[in-house]
Amino acid sequence: MTVSNKLPPDFRWQEDRDEFTLFLDSHPLVKVAPVGSGWRVDTLLEAPGIGLHQVAVRRAEYGRSWAARWVLQRQRAIAAACGREDLIPPVVPAPPRRTYAWQAPSWARAAG
């Protein structure tokens, strides 16, 4: 099973010297910048349900990949915080869970 880190086209990377910043419209989301011999990824968006993170990575590509996964995992909250309800992915209902007799508590089995 492959996992795609491809972001919707509304998300764009901007390169400024050695730094990369991920934007949604005019909202900066993540910055990947060199630090010493490695790179640091900083999340920039402060919104309810979205915590700030700092992650160290070896290469800029790893930082951009981490940022893409971070955004995809929080796409619903990020889109709502940036006022882009059109980017909120639909909720797919899960199939009903089957319950087996052995999962019922012992007092319910004795009563039946």
Side-chain angles (χ1 to χ4, degrees):
M1 180 172 148
T2 61
V3 177
S4 174
N5 288 344
K6 187 165 173 65
L7 294 170
D10 298 295
F11 293 91
R12 62 180 172 77
W13 284 101
Q14 180 178 342
E15 184 177 357
D16 184 31
R17 294 184 301 258
D18 289 340
E19 297 180 352
F20 300 93
T21 307
L22 179 63
F23 285 89
L24 174 58
D25 296 334
S26 63
H27 302 278
L29 303 176
V30 181
K31 179 188 274 187
V32 180
V35 175
S37 63
W39 293 78
R40 186 174 76 196
V41 182
D42 293 311
T43 59
L44 306 172
L45 183 66
E46 292 188 56
I50 303 173
L52 296 177
H53 292 38
Q54 282 188 344
V55 178
V57 293
R58 292 184 185 195
R59 297 175 51 193
E61 296 82 28
Y62 298 159
R64 291 176 63 158
S65 179
W66 184 93
R69 285 191 310 273
W70 183 84
V71 167
L72 289 173
Q73 291 169 356
R74 294 157 181 82
Q75 185 174 350
R76 179 177 302 282
I78 290 171
C82 294
R84 290 292 307 267
E85 284 75 23
D86 58 315
L87 292 178
I88 296 176
V91 176
V92 178
R97 184 169 177 241
R98 183 173 176 170
T99 305
Y100 296 98
W102 59 265
Q103 292 174 310
S106 59
W107 57 266
R109 287 183 289 194

